[in-house]
Amino acid sequence: MDIINIIEKKKFSQKLNREEIEFFVDGICSGSIADYQTAALLMAIRLNGMDNDEIFFLTDAMKNSGQILTFDSIKGTKIDKHSTGGVGDSTTFVITPIVAVLGFKVAKLSGRGLGFTGGTLDKLEAIEGMNVALSQERFEKQVSDIGIAVSGQSANICPADKILYALRDVTATVDCIPLIASSIMSKKLAVATDILVLDVKVGDGSLLNDYEQTKKLAQIMVDMGKQAGKKVAAVLTSMDEPLDEYIGNSLEVEGAIRVLKGERNNLYKVSKAIVKEILLLSGEFDEENAEKAIDDAIDSGKAYRKFEEFILAQGGKSLILPKAKMYEHPILSKCEGYVSKIHTRDIGSLNMHMGGGRMFKDDKIDYTVGMKILKRVGDYVKKGETLCYAYVNNDEQLAKAETVVDLFEFSDLPQDKTKLIYEIVH
Ligand code: URA
């Protein structure tokens, strides 16, 4: 077997078998396959696709490229949730304490932001003292003791994905269903959780803008999860607007805290839909008592206190977050009309360019910068009215933040509000 034949086969849209896919994954990990050959195969997969068997073989081989975490020491039902990534998407901080309050064990391995999307670990690191690199032992003990731990993934889990993702990022092969499904599910199947709910984003600020393609991705991932013995569902949610009003690392934690303290906004609605699926999949709740249990966890203050417990357990000093020097600097609309579109992906990129994200993996982040989006699709805005607040530390960041006005489109005609939750895929 050799890699050139494998690339040739995919070039002509032929199906790869398990042995060929394993040969490819072994080769990228051992270094016997060169990056340019991997890049060629990735592009052939991007152009000609893979069927469900091939996606399954690729996922399995990637999963087996590293360590499998069995979580033997954690008793109880182990929960995982995963978002395909978006802007103002801080559901993890709302979902995990609620689920822990309701008696489940949340064992969550998270990632960093790259490009226009934020990352859970970066947001957590906005909190002074926070440790997001827990040893396996400490991670499992914390999940057992308080019901939540969120940590970065060790280099030993799915090393094949790290190699492939880095190459996809620079070869325009990220937006590819087989590659996204195998990348996400290899990591999810490498950890022995019982229930997994996927938040699959669709729209301008998501990986795949097309609805049917996104639904297909969700179905493939759900099927693979079930085949591996997990209880799985996917919630298809909109990324045609930033999810929370707040965008930025420290600000998004602040936004999540507001929801844990009772604010009922879009972040609350999507988080609730995801927790509800987790509860229904557990078999311990029905439609009605699931919703009530979620609101009780928030309204009783227990979810907020659990979040605080989790932050303190992981080294965080307090929930008083660092703030930018220019805090809530108003940015005024230059136009008048109904907001008809918000360029969500570009807003995520703008936050990155302001210093809130990284273009290259070793870039340093300014945790305090960001924006608060005050107007949503369908809102009427007058010229000179405040469209957003900027949170910045210098004039250069402010000048960048002010360009956010160009990322809103207006119409003279009333516009429908964006639908937030589309459907659940089982
Ligand atoms: N998230 C991942 O982990 N992998 C992808 O390919 C896309 C999003």
Side-chain angles (χ1 to χ4, degrees):
M1 201 177 305
D2 75 66
I3 186 63
I4 300 170
N5 277 328
I6 295 174
I7 299 169
E8 281 281 352
K9 271 182 90 173
K10 200 33 82 185
K11 183 171 82 178
F12 293 113
S13 296
Q14 289 167 21
K15 180 170 173 160
L16 302 179
N17 61 37
R18 188 192 273 275
E19 289 68 35
E20 287 162 333
I21 289 175
E22 284 176 354
F23 175 85
F24 165 62
V25 172
D26 287 349
I28 59 171
C29 291
S30 69
S32 65
I33 294 175
D35 279 359
Y36 48 83
Q37 293 170 317
T38 304
L41 184 56
L42 289 172
M43 186 54 84
I45 294 170
R46 166 65 182 79
L47 297 175
N48 295 327
M50 280 182 143
D51 71 11
N52 286 359
D53 288 340
E54 292 173 288
I55 298 173
F56 176 79
F57 298 147
L58 180 58
T59 307
D60 206 41
M62 286 166 71
K63 177 193 84 178
N64 292 330
S65 70
Q67 191 189 2
I68 309 286
L69 297 185
T70 54
F71 293 151
D72 290 333
S73 70
I74 305 171
K75 304 288 169 256
T77 307
K78 293 176 273 288
I79 309 292
D80 196 3
K81 60 86 46 183
H82 183 84
S83 159
T84 56
V87 179
D89 176 18
S90 43
T91 58
T92 292
F93 307 136
V94 178
I95 293 168
T96 54
I98 298 175
V99 170
V101 163
L102 297 175
F104 298 95
K105 303 290 181 193
V106 187
K108 171 121 183 70
L109 297 180
S110 288
R112 296 194 178 276
L114 192 67
F116 72 94
T117 59
T120 299
L121 300 183
D122 298 326
K123 295 173 201 175
L124 283 174
E125 280 183 341
I127 302 169
E128 197 195 336
M130 198 67 190
N131 177 1
V132 294
L134 302 181
S135 67
Q136 193 183 329
E137 197 184 0
R138 181 165 165 199
F139 180 88
E140 293 193 20
K141 182 167 180 340
Q142 188 177 308
V143 176
S144 298
D145 290 349
I146 67 164
I148 317 181
V150 180
S151 183
Q153 202 159 273
S154 86
N156 301 336
I157 297 174
C158 295
D161 179 59
K162 292 191 182 68
I163 299 167
L164 289 179
Y165 200 88
L167 280 172
R168 285 168 60 206
D169 214 28
V170 292
T171 55
T173 51
V174 170
D175 59 339
C176 168
I177 291 178
L179 298 177
I180 298 173
S182 56
S183 166
I184 293 176
M185 290 309 290
S186 59
K187 290 175 285 195
K188 296 289 121 187
L189 300 183
V191 294
T193 48
D194 306 299
I195 295 177
L196 167 66
V197 174
L198 301 157
D199 178 6
V200 182
K201 305 288 186 189
V202 59
D204 185 79
S206 68
L207 287 171
L208 297 172
N209 207 343
D210 180 82
Y211 190 82
E212 286 311 315
Q213 291 293 306
T214 306
K215 189 169 170 187
K216 190 173 161 200
L217 168 68
Q219 190 68 62
I220 290 171
M221 294 196 291
V222 168
D223 290 347
M224 277 200 284
K226 280 189 183 167
Q227 220 172 323
K230 284 187 199 288
K231 293 178 176 174
V232 196
V235 183
L236 262 64
T237 65
S238 173
M239 236 331 126
D240 272 324
E241 301 180 24
L243 176 56
D244 193 19
E245 294 92 336
Y246 289 97
I247 298 147
N249 294 288
S250 178
L251 290 166
E252 287 183 41
V253 179
E254 205 170 300
I257 289 174
R258 284 168 184 257
V259 174
L260 291 172
K261 288 189 166 172
E263 200 163 306
R264 304 293 209 239
N265 55 12
N266 286 353
L267 176 61
Y268 159 80
K269 288 178 195 158
V270 168
S271 303
K272 184 171 180 177
I274 294 166
V275 178
K276 186 172 159 191
E277 277 313 303
I278 292 171
L279 301 186
L280 295 179
L281 286 172
S282 75
E284 295 173 31
F285 290 81
D286 60 27
E287 289 272 340
E288 213 171 295
N289 64 21
E291 297 211 2
K292 186 173 178 317
I294 296 165
D295 286 339
D296 284 351
I298 295 176
D299 297 340
S300 62
K302 287 183 185 164
Y304 172 73
R305 287 197 293 278
K306 181 57 78 180
F307 183 66
E308 195 173 31
E309 189 183 8
F310 148 63
I311 296 298
L312 296 177
Q314 243 171 272
K317 297 271 178 271
S318 82
L319 284 185
I320 300 167
L321 288 142
K323 284 189 162 58
K325 288 186 196 130
M326 281 183 254
Y327 195 80
E328 272 190 10
H329 183 96
I331 297 183
L332 311 181
S333 178
K334 292 192 231 161
C335 302
E336 176 142 355
Y338 294 95
V339 177
S340 56
K341 180 164 174 63
I342 301 178
H343 291 268
T344 305
R345 175 181 283 250
D346 292 343
I347 288 187
S349 297
L350 179 58
N351 181 57
M352 175 190 77
H353 288 294
M354 284 162 62
R358 44 177 95 68
M359 210 166 341
F360 300 104
K361 76 177 178 16
D362 295 326
D363 287 353
K364 289 264 171 295
I365 284 189
D366 182 341
Y367 294 108
T368 61
V369 297
M371 280 164 277
K372 182 176 184 185
I373 307 291
L374 301 181
K375 300 294 178 186
R376 298 258 152 190
V377 171
D379 288 346
Y380 192 78
V381 180
K382 292 195 181 130
K383 198 168 170 183
E385 202 180 336
T386 306
L387 198 56
C388 306
Y389 287 127
Y391 302 78
V392 292
N393 291 302
N394 55 50
D395 289 341
E396 195 192 334
Q397 288 174 343
L398 181 59
K400 285 184 183 155
E402 278 173 339
T403 64
V404 71
V405 290
D406 302 327
L407 304 180
F408 285 72
E409 287 181 25
F410 296 89
S411 164
D412 292 338
L413 303 173
Q415 303 288 311
D416 290 338
K417 294 257 170 219
T418 304
K419 193 169 164 47
L420 199 56
I421 299 165
Y422 291 107
E423 63 180 302
I424 317 281
V425 174
H426 285 114

